[in-house]
Amino acid sequence: MPRALITGITGQDGSYLAELLLAKGYDVHGMVRRASTPNLVRLSEVLEWITIHQGDLSDSSSLFTLLEDIQPDEIYNLGAMSDVGISFKVPEYSANVTGTGAIRLLEATHRVLGVRARFYQASSSEMFGSSPPPQHENTPFHPRSPYGCAKVFSHNATVNYREAYGMHASTGILFNHESPRRGESFVTRKIARAVARIKRGEQKELVLGNLEAKRDWGFAGDYVDAMWRMLRKDTPGDYVIATGEAHSVREFAEEAFTQVGLDWQDYVKTDPALFRPAEVEYLLGDPSKAKRELGWEPTVTFPALVRMMVDAEL
């Protein structure tokens, strides 16, 4: 039975990945930070089949201990301070967990497991920032947030450990991927939640920032399948995971309100305070390599994704 360790297992991606690996017969282990009230709600349906360990990407000793105890065959590093907007408020913390945390885990993997374990690093489309679309594996990085900068560091560190030590270390440059499990601070969940509350008469309006920002939105359940496929390859590599189709925040809001028979223009307001210090205007991924080499395809369309999220809130 293959054994996997997932950092960030309590997040959206971690929960979907845990379910996928369990379905494929894995012994699944997850690392969580110490908290007085553990946030395990996304894992509620599979928690009894998962082994949870305490550890922290900011603490090297805990990572070495975990790898020595678990001896995983596969490591999925999904742990990060993942809120782009908040990263402007806590830039040093973002760099420490999202950036340096990855190199701590890579070093622990190299020292404890050598080349026996396969390593997946969650890279991000935010690394591209203001690089013109469509973005692919060879598009130059131009991050526009502390989060994006930290992800560039962790991405390059993974490539470096692969080249320096022969590790089977792959990166997935995932474009925006959503689901009903998305955190409430993310704009897609914020929109879906507000639409349901407005439909029920519990909220009067929805206040958003940059309506014209365009993103390539897919379903998180599809994207964790791509992670698993990367570690099946004999040769590690870097892969853009995206739908190849972009929509603006305005379009997402319009589609969401349409699902409940309302006109978005009657409820949506904008607030300049919600704009970021440096905006990322247009992210559009080219997933050709993933489709060709991994046999991966997105299965959920944009309207279906919006409908899924609104229905869950209703």
PDB file of all heavy atoms in Angstrom, residues 203-219:
ATOM      1  N   GLN A 203     -29.251  39.338   3.067  1.00  0.00           N
ATOM      2  CA  GLN A 203     -28.195  40.294   2.711  1.00  0.00           C
ATOM      3  C   GLN A 203     -28.730  41.174   1.598  1.00  0.00           C
ATOM      4  O   GLN A 203     -29.513  40.730   0.755  1.00  0.00           O
ATOM      5  CB  GLN A 203     -26.941  39.512   2.253  1.00  0.00           C
ATOM      6  CG  GLN A 203     -25.710  40.351   2.003  1.00  0.00           C
ATOM      7  CD  GLN A 203     -24.475  39.468   1.774  1.00  0.00           C
ATOM      8  OE1 GLN A 203     -24.336  38.402   2.369  1.00  0.00           O
ATOM      9  NE2 GLN A 203     -23.585  39.917   0.896  1.00  0.00           N
ATOM     10  N   LYS A 204     -28.314  42.451   1.592  1.00  0.00           N
ATOM     11  CA  LYS A 204     -28.874  43.396   0.619  1.00  0.00           C
ATOM     12  C   LYS A 204     -27.972  43.625  -0.591  1.00  0.00           C
ATOM     13  O   LYS A 204     -28.451  43.890  -1.689  1.00  0.00           O
ATOM     14  CB  LYS A 204     -29.161  44.745   1.294  1.00  0.00           C
ATOM     15  CG  LYS A 204     -30.273  44.696   2.333  1.00  0.00           C
ATOM     16  CD  LYS A 204     -30.631  46.091   2.755  1.00  0.00           C
ATOM     17  CE  LYS A 204     -31.667  46.145   3.862  1.00  0.00           C
ATOM     18  NZ  LYS A 204     -32.728  45.184   3.816  1.00  0.00           N
ATOM     19  N   GLU A 205     -26.653  43.576  -0.382  1.00  0.00           N
ATOM     20  CA  GLU A 205     -25.736  43.857  -1.495  1.00  0.00           C
ATOM     21  C   GLU A 205     -24.449  43.072  -1.339  1.00  0.00           C
ATOM     22  O   GLU A 205     -24.173  42.491  -0.281  1.00  0.00           O
ATOM     23  CB  GLU A 205     -25.434  45.356  -1.566  1.00  0.00           C
ATOM     24  CG  GLU A 205     -24.712  45.907  -0.347  1.00  0.00           C
ATOM     25  CD  GLU A 205     -24.447  47.403  -0.436  1.00  0.00           C
ATOM     26  OE1 GLU A 205     -25.190  48.119  -1.151  1.00  0.00           O
ATOM     27  OE2 GLU A 205     -23.488  47.858   0.206  1.00  0.00           O
ATOM     28  N   LEU A 206     -23.674  43.065  -2.417  1.00  0.00           N
ATOM     29  CA  LEU A 206     -22.371  42.386  -2.447  1.00  0.00           C
ATOM     30  C   LEU A 206     -21.323  43.403  -2.851  1.00  0.00           C
ATOM     31  O   LEU A 206     -21.423  44.009  -3.919  1.00  0.00           O
ATOM     32  CB  LEU A 206     -22.407  41.221  -3.451  1.00  0.00           C
ATOM     33  CG  LEU A 206     -21.067  40.573  -3.831  1.00  0.00           C
ATOM     34  CD1 LEU A 206     -20.375  39.977  -2.613  1.00  0.00           C
ATOM     35  CD2 LEU A 206     -21.284  39.508  -4.900  1.00  0.00           C
ATOM     36  N   VAL A 207     -20.318  43.606  -2.013  1.00  0.00           N
ATOM     37  CA  VAL A 207     -19.270  44.588  -2.280  1.00  0.00           C
ATOM     38  C   VAL A 207     -18.000  43.853  -2.726  1.00  0.00           C
ATOM     39  O   VAL A 207     -17.479  42.988  -2.009  1.00  0.00           O
ATOM     40  CB  VAL A 207     -18.973  45.442  -1.038  1.00  0.00           C
ATOM     41  CG1 VAL A 207     -17.903  46.490  -1.370  1.00  0.00           C
ATOM     42  CG2 VAL A 207     -20.244  46.118  -0.538  1.00  0.00           C
ATOM     43  N   LEU A 208     -17.518  44.208  -3.913  1.00  0.00           N
ATOM     44  CA  LEU A 208     -16.336  43.571  -4.489  1.00  0.00           C
ATOM     45  C   LEU A 208     -15.289  44.608  -4.861  1.00  0.00           C
ATOM     46  O   LEU A 208     -15.565  45.810  -4.855  1.00  0.00           O
ATOM     47  CB  LEU A 208     -16.723  42.767  -5.736  1.00  0.00           C
ATOM     48  CG  LEU A 208     -17.705  41.606  -5.536  1.00  0.00           C
ATOM     49  CD1 LEU A 208     -18.150  41.052  -6.880  1.00  0.00           C
ATOM     50  CD2 LEU A 208     -17.065  40.516  -4.685  1.00  0.00           C
ATOM     51  N   GLY A 209     -14.101  44.143  -5.215  1.00  0.00           N
ATOM     52  CA  GLY A 209     -13.028  45.027  -5.654  1.00  0.00           C
ATOM     53  C   GLY A 209     -12.992  45.125  -7.172  1.00  0.00           C
ATOM     54  O   GLY A 209     -13.938  45.589  -7.800  1.00  0.00           O
ATOM     55  N   ASN A 210     -11.910  44.646  -7.776  1.00  0.00           N
ATOM     56  CA  ASN A 210     -11.697  44.765  -9.215  1.00  0.00           C
ATOM     57  C   ASN A 210     -12.570  43.778  -9.995  1.00  0.00           C
ATOM     58  O   ASN A 210     -12.290  42.588 -10.042  1.00  0.00           O
ATOM     59  CB  ASN A 210     -10.218  44.531  -9.526  1.00  0.00           C
ATOM     60  CG  ASN A 210      -9.883  44.721 -10.992  1.00  0.00           C
ATOM     61  OD1 ASN A 210     -10.732  45.133 -11.786  1.00  0.00           O
ATOM     62  ND2 ASN A 210      -8.649  44.425 -11.348  1.00  0.00           N
ATOM     63  N   LEU A 211     -13.616  44.284 -10.618  1.00  0.00           N
ATOM     64  CA  LEU A 211     -14.537  43.427 -11.360  1.00  0.00           C
ATOM     65  C   LEU A 211     -13.962  42.957 -12.695  1.00  0.00           C
ATOM     66  O   LEU A 211     -14.449  41.985 -13.279  1.00  0.00           O
ATOM     67  CB  LEU A 211     -15.859  44.159 -11.624  1.00  0.00           C
ATOM     68  CG  LEU A 211     -16.720  44.511 -10.416  1.00  0.00           C
ATOM     69  CD1 LEU A 211     -17.959  45.284 -10.867  1.00  0.00           C
ATOM     70  CD2 LEU A 211     -17.136  43.265  -9.660  1.00  0.00           C
ATOM     71  N   GLU A 212     -12.949  43.673 -13.197  1.00  0.00           N
ATOM     72  CA  GLU A 212     -12.437  43.365 -14.534  1.00  0.00           C
ATOM     73  C   GLU A 212     -11.278  42.373 -14.523  1.00  0.00           C
ATOM     74  O   GLU A 212     -10.791  41.976 -15.589  1.00  0.00           O
ATOM     75  CB  GLU A 212     -12.001  44.659 -15.237  1.00  0.00           C
ATOM     76  CG  GLU A 212     -13.111  45.711 -15.312  1.00  0.00           C
ATOM     77  CD  GLU A 212     -14.441  45.152 -15.807  1.00  0.00           C
ATOM     78  OE1 GLU A 212     -14.429  44.326 -16.742  1.00  0.00           O
ATOM     79  OE2 GLU A 212     -15.485  45.525 -15.245  1.00  0.00           O
ATOM     80  N   ALA A 213     -10.799  41.988 -13.343  1.00  0.00           N
ATOM     81  CA  ALA A 213      -9.723  41.000 -13.272  1.00  0.00           C
ATOM     82  C   ALA A 213     -10.201  39.685 -13.884  1.00  0.00           C
ATOM     83  O   ALA A 213     -11.292  39.211 -13.572  1.00  0.00           O
ATOM     84  CB  ALA A 213      -9.299  40.788 -11.829  1.00  0.00           C
ATOM     85  N   LYS A 214      -9.401  39.115 -14.765  1.00  0.00           N
ATOM     86  CA  LYS A 214      -9.769  37.870 -15.442  1.00  0.00           C
ATOM     87  C   LYS A 214      -8.943  36.708 -14.907  1.00  0.00           C
ATOM     88  O   LYS A 214      -7.737  36.823 -14.712  1.00  0.00           O
ATOM     89  CB  LYS A 214      -9.548  38.001 -16.956  1.00  0.00           C
ATOM     90  CG  LYS A 214     -10.523  38.940 -17.643  1.00  0.00           C
ATOM     91  CD  LYS A 214     -10.310  38.926 -19.146  1.00  0.00           C
ATOM     92  CE  LYS A 214     -11.353  39.786 -19.852  1.00  0.00           C
ATOM     93  NZ  LYS A 214     -11.158  39.767 -21.326  1.00  0.00           N
ATOM     94  N   ARG A 215      -9.636  35.589 -14.683  1.00  0.00           N
ATOM     95  CA  ARG A 215      -8.979  34.397 -14.171  1.00  0.00           C
ATOM     96  C   ARG A 215      -9.430  33.167 -14.954  1.00  0.00           C
ATOM     97  O   ARG A 215     -10.530  33.108 -15.487  1.00  0.00           O
ATOM     98  CB  ARG A 215      -9.303  34.195 -12.689  1.00  0.00           C
ATOM     99  CG  ARG A 215      -8.752  35.277 -11.758  1.00  0.00           C
ATOM    100  CD  ARG A 215      -7.237  35.234 -11.685  1.00  0.00           C
ATOM    101  NE  ARG A 215      -6.706  36.185 -10.731  1.00  0.00           N
ATOM    102  CZ  ARG A 215      -6.395  37.446 -11.032  1.00  0.00           C
ATOM    103  NH1 ARG A 215      -6.575  37.895 -12.272  1.00  0.00           N
ATOM    104  NH2 ARG A 215      -5.894  38.254 -10.108  1.00  0.00           N
ATOM    105  N   ASP A 216      -8.548  32.177 -14.956  1.00  0.00           N
ATOM    106  CA  ASP A 216      -8.820  30.875 -15.556  1.00  0.00           C
ATOM    107  C   ASP A 216      -9.292  29.985 -14.414  1.00  0.00           C
ATOM    108  O   ASP A 216      -8.493  29.494 -13.622  1.00  0.00           O
ATOM    109  CB  ASP A 216      -7.529  30.350 -16.195  1.00  0.00           C
ATOM    110  CG  ASP A 216      -7.722  29.062 -16.965  1.00  0.00           C
ATOM    111  OD1 ASP A 216      -8.563  28.245 -16.533  1.00  0.00           O
ATOM    112  OD2 ASP A 216      -7.014  28.859 -17.970  1.00  0.00           O
ATOM    113  N   TRP A 217     -10.624  29.787 -14.305  1.00  0.00           N
ATOM    114  CA  TRP A 217     -11.210  29.082 -13.162  1.00  0.00           C
ATOM    115  C   TRP A 217     -11.583  27.648 -13.499  1.00  0.00           C
ATOM    116  O   TRP A 217     -12.316  27.404 -14.450  1.00  0.00           O
ATOM    117  CB  TRP A 217     -12.468  29.811 -12.680  1.00  0.00           C
ATOM    118  CG  TRP A 217     -12.219  30.948 -11.740  1.00  0.00           C
ATOM    119  CD1 TRP A 217     -11.545  30.894 -10.563  1.00  0.00           C
ATOM    120  CD2 TRP A 217     -12.653  32.315 -11.886  1.00  0.00           C
ATOM    121  NE1 TRP A 217     -11.538  32.135  -9.962  1.00  0.00           N
ATOM    122  CE2 TRP A 217     -12.201  33.018 -10.745  1.00  0.00           C
ATOM    123  CE3 TRP A 217     -13.395  32.994 -12.858  1.00  0.00           C
ATOM    124  CZ2 TRP A 217     -12.459  34.373 -10.551  1.00  0.00           C
ATOM    125  CZ3 TRP A 217     -13.643  34.338 -12.673  1.00  0.00           C
ATOM    126  CH2 TRP A 217     -13.176  35.019 -11.541  1.00  0.00           C
ATOM    127  N   GLY A 218     -11.110  26.702 -12.692  1.00  0.00           N
ATOM    128  CA  GLY A 218     -11.488  25.309 -12.857  1.00  0.00           C
ATOM    129  C   GLY A 218     -11.956  24.712 -11.537  1.00  0.00           C
ATOM    130  O   GLY A 218     -12.044  25.413 -10.522  1.00  0.00           O
ATOM    131  N   PHE A 219     -12.243  23.418 -11.542  1.00  0.00           N
ATOM    132  CA  PHE A 219     -12.750  22.726 -10.355  1.00  0.00           C
ATOM    133  C   PHE A 219     -11.606  22.045  -9.602  1.00  0.00           C
ATOM    134  O   PHE A 219     -10.830  21.293 -10.184  1.00  0.00           O
ATOM    135  CB  PHE A 219     -13.800  21.690 -10.775  1.00  0.00           C
ATOM    136  CG  PHE A 219     -14.260  20.789  -9.672  1.00  0.00           C
ATOM    137  CD1 PHE A 219     -14.724  21.309  -8.470  1.00  0.00           C
ATOM    138  CD2 PHE A 219     -14.228  19.408  -9.835  1.00  0.00           C
ATOM    139  CE1 PHE A 219     -15.139  20.465  -7.442  1.00  0.00           C
ATOM    140  CE2 PHE A 219     -14.655  18.559  -8.822  1.00  0.00           C
ATOM    141  CZ  PHE A 219     -15.104  19.091  -7.623  1.00  0.00           C
TER     142      PHE A 219
END
